[in-house]
Amino acid sequence: MNTFTEFDVKNQRNLTMLVDFYELTMANGYLNKGVQDTIAYFDMFFRRIPDGGGYCIMAGVEQLIEYLSNLKFTKNDIDYLRSKNLFSDDFLEYLLNFKFTCDVWAIPEGSPVFPNEPLITVRGPIMQAQFIETMVLLTVNHQTLIATKSARICEAAKGRAVMEFGSRRAQGYDGAIYGARAAVIGGCSSTACTIADEMFNIPAIGTMAHSWVQLFDSEYDAFKAWAETYSDNTVLLVDTYNVLKSGIPNAIKVFNEVLKPLGKRPKAVRIDSGDITYLSKEVRKLLDEAGYEDVKITVSNSLDEFIIRGVLENGAKIDSFGVGERLITARSEPVFGGVYKLVAIEKDNKIIPKIKISENVEKITNPAFKKLYRIYDKGSKKAVADLITLHDEVINESSALELFDPNYTWKRKKIKEFYCKELMVKIFDNGNLIYKSPSVMDIREYSLEERNKLWPEVLRLENPHAYYVDLSHKLWELKEALLHEYSSVFE
Amino acid sequence: MNTFTEFDVKNQRNLTMLVDFYELTMANGYLNKGVQDTIAYFDMFFRRIPDGGGYCIMAGVEQLIEYLSNLKFTKNDIDYLRSKNLFSDDFLEYLLNFKFTCDVWAIPEGSPVFPNEPLITVRGPIMQAQFIETMVLLTVNHQTLIATKSARICEAAKGRAVMEFGSRRAQGYDGAIYGARAAVIGGCSSTACTIADEMFNIPAIGTMAHSWVQLFDSEYDAFKAWAETYSDNTVLLVDTYNVLKSGIPNAIKVFNEVLKPLGKRPKAVRIDSGDITYLSKEVRKLLDEAGYEDVKITVSNSLDEFIIRGVLENGAKIDSFGVGERLITARSEPVFGGVYKLVAIEKDNKIIPKIKISENVEKITNPAFKKLYRIYDKGSKKAVADLITLHDEVINESSALELFDPNYTWKRKKIKEFYCKELMVKIFDNGNLIYKSPSVMDIREYSLEERNKLWPEVLRLENPHAYYVDLSHKLWELKEALLHEYSSVFE
């Protein structure tokens, strides 16, 4: 049954058929109507930051690359599709010979990102550029959601280590695996998810469950057996019976009787239930009194950014946090609403911008093939705004730049001493991969650096300052003109 | 790069290393202490029904079977583990020769299940029975969460078809794939997730995106192109510009000009935005006036059970619902809190019950190796209670049965005319698979039948009647005795 266990399938899944069925019916329609090779431009972007936060953390690009690199329909896929009696033979033949030839731009993973700016831009034959919609969204929505939540939780922990502990409550296997990856990108220092370490080189850690303690005749016996096995790395779970009356006294006894004679120091105790503020303070006292000032206290139990902020404000003595279900599912807001919209097509070698209108003004898209710049203040080196321009606009760093709110155009600001960075990098050129993903730990580092370039007001957990994402004059004028063309629709 | 595209990997992933790291440190500890072969019993159960509902729908057993059937450590896995400098050579050798030999019982998928009853029971060497904790929980928590949410949404739709549309907002690829599977188990009639159809034979469906409409010079041209391609199966998305002023008039024009001459009837129109109650009523009128009374109206747009109930109460004319992000992530409560607890060990061939105590009374476990019965009233054939007994208890259907609330033992009820069914079936015997999973569509059918055996009061969306899950006298007495043993802990 299990014929390929020695083969490392982990990074090699073919997810071509993980696609909304309508992408296939549209593709068949494009071919039927002879428009399959029309060059189209799509943007992926989002409209709202989850949890009322001030920024999101881009993630998922490496998995998007793997997906696009492995795009291929198998004979089984074709047979399955034929059985639906919807698709032409020409179309099925086309799929069998499918070759990805799009250009793809993406904001690198770990970057802070903001509403209404393109995170991904795809240019290519509409048949292909449309087809990949489901997986672009699924991949980036999921990991950006978790990386963003992780960033919030790490922000609340104020430099203390946060460990990702959520596999058992994740939404499916990839929810656990790529969720752990995204959590580390967002700032977690480690994970309990072993396979994520094996795949991505992010430190996996773990100690014992309550069942270890229950298996032995007493808590003391259980701790002793543990310390004897892991004398270099002793972390004891002290809340199976009663933290202060049983767990800590037994732990100290074992530290003294097992580790001390070996000249070893215990690492930590873990509390997984109860009033962690109170317990951590009392545990700290007991450990200190016994001469274990260097032994850390780590806690877990339905934590999130608000609980962590609360226990620290109340003086809890906690060195690190294990965060499970509320991180791995982004429980407070478990959906990242990224969308993928047609923004232009090419006709007679000219780029024709397209706009998706809506009665809901916030749902109107930014048309055209675009570029995205981040503007930094020269003195403070802080990011002051992102600017979306047409693809062929160049920003002159030596003259002043006028920014204005695209919805309230009288809100204007002149920026003089600045420099700017183009945010999107090209990752596929005519279907060829031209980008190498950094390691996850490098992305984590990069992300922490980039977040340091945001003002603290933007990083705030609640009621943050809204970071500016503005349109260039040219782009704004183009958008207005297109809206006027469609104004009759609202009559 | 992509060397195995012709190989059907979809059902064949080896997820052995998807495990919380502490399962490995514990396993290494068991071996080090020579207790690795102690026979242990673990129960998986949950404590609370999400969304304040009255029941959950069991799901995930087929994937649990696949995982357990494919349990195997590769040489790469062993090399990775060796690099952690935590595990003994004996242990790594053991893993390389790992063979699963546990007994496993499970409640069949699709069954309504309730808090505090075992969904899964595992018996075997503690090293194995403990190791599989992460994946038992991850698999059953995820699919049971989504199946339960789907059941609520389908309940609200009152017999109208509900289509699962959430892949792009799922939490990872498996969130989309197994989420679609679970949604169908819970009652959805179809999915947009193509690969889920290919893998599980659940109908995949789909029409067009707004980008199809945008690509053409006009909405009329876009609809015409679609109807010409799919004349047998024309479903048009009518809200790209203005549903009533543009979408429906253009749709009717195309129905008349393209389909009518061919003698074909259109299938449906889809509305994906706006006030769907108002729009659906107006669309119904326009379609009826044009002689398209048989054309269905299908809607989507951030739906859930409460919105569906609301629009139907307000007289919306809707034939089917497409439900996306709020179903695939169970957005209102995205965590299913199943746990996996040690309930007994064997010593000298005797079963020694174990209990996990807690100051929080609801967190105290039901000890011992147990059986689970569902009690049905003979007259109405409705399920009246579940009864958890010791594993060797037999219920005599010919004499009256006294049920009592395990927390409020004065709440008692005598049941006379009843029959009962054992809920858990054995799926692995000494590591050998002895159960065949039904098809997903058969599970869906079974689930709808079993839900029909619950009183409407239990099926209610809000403030349902709490279904009884009681303990037998013998089990209750055993639990009390164990609690008294530990009472000193609370002093």
Side-chain angles (χ1 to χ4, degrees), chain A residues 237-254:
Chain A
L237 178 64
V238 293
D239 71 338
T240 305
Y241 302 111
N242 183 312
V243 174
L244 301 177
K245 300 226 170 100
S246 162
I248 293 296
N250 279 325
I252 290 172
K253 204 166 170 214
V254 165

Side-chain angles (χ1 to χ4, degrees), chain A residues 33 130 211 228 245 491, chain B residues 33 130 211 228 245 491:
Chain A
K33 288 292 144 189
Q130 173 74 62
S211 56
E228 286 166 354
K245 300 226 170 100
E491 274 166 19
Chain B
K33 288 292 143 191
Q130 173 73 63
S211 55
E228 285 166 355
K245 300 227 170 98
E491 274 166 22

Side-chain angles (χ1 to χ4, degrees), chain B residues 40-221:
Chain B
Y41 295 77
F42 285 86
D43 280 353
M44 182 201 167
F45 62 95
F46 66 102
R47 299 189 181 107
R48 262 192 68 250
I49 299 171
D51 291 318
Y55 62 100
C56 291
I57 298 298
M58 177 75 178
V61 175
E62 185 179 354
Q63 282 62 49
L64 182 59
I65 288 171
E66 280 162 16
Y67 161 71
L68 294 172
S69 302
N70 286 320
L71 262 179
K72 186 167 168 48
F73 295 86
T74 68
K75 290 213 177 65
N76 287 345
D77 298 336
I78 302 299
D79 290 345
Y80 155 76
L81 290 173
R82 183 172 287 117
S83 76
K84 304 293 283 186
N85 290 319
L86 276 173
F87 305 110
S88 72
D89 286 343
D90 282 357
F91 176 66
L92 297 175
E93 186 69 19
Y94 169 91
L95 291 185
L96 207 49
N97 301 312
F98 185 92
K99 198 182 162 330
F100 183 66
T101 61
C102 294
D103 299 322
V104 182
W105 294 260
I107 297 182
E109 296 188 87
S111 304
V113 290
F114 301 93
N116 301 314
E117 61 191 25
L119 307 184
I120 308 272
T121 293
V122 177
R123 174 196 177 275
I126 184 138
M127 205 154 164
Q128 301 180 26
Q130 173 73 63
F131 181 84
I132 65 176
E133 175 185 34
T134 309
M135 278 290 284
V136 170
L137 291 176
L138 171 44
T139 302
V140 177
N141 277 340
H142 171 229
Q143 289 200 44
T144 302
L145 175 74
I146 304 303
T148 302
K149 184 69 173 178
S150 170
R152 289 173 63 77
I153 291 170
C154 294
E155 190 72 29
K158 295 188 181 297
R160 291 168 187 79
V162 177
M163 304 166 285
E164 187 285 303
F165 273 6
S167 288
R168 63 188 56 194
R169 303 279 167 82
Q171 296 194 355
Y173 313 126
D174 295 318
I177 298 169
Y178 298 116
R181 178 183 187 275
V184 171
I185 287 176
C188 284
S189 57
S190 59
T191 177
C193 183
T194 309
I195 199 171
D197 183 0
E198 198 180 12
M199 287 169 72
F200 307 120
N201 245 310
I202 56 183
I205 51 147
T207 56
M208 65 175 73
H210 296 113
S211 55
W212 173 274
V213 179
Q214 285 177 276
L215 181 72
F216 291 84
D217 288 333
S218 73
E219 191 179 46
Y220 171 78
D221 288 345

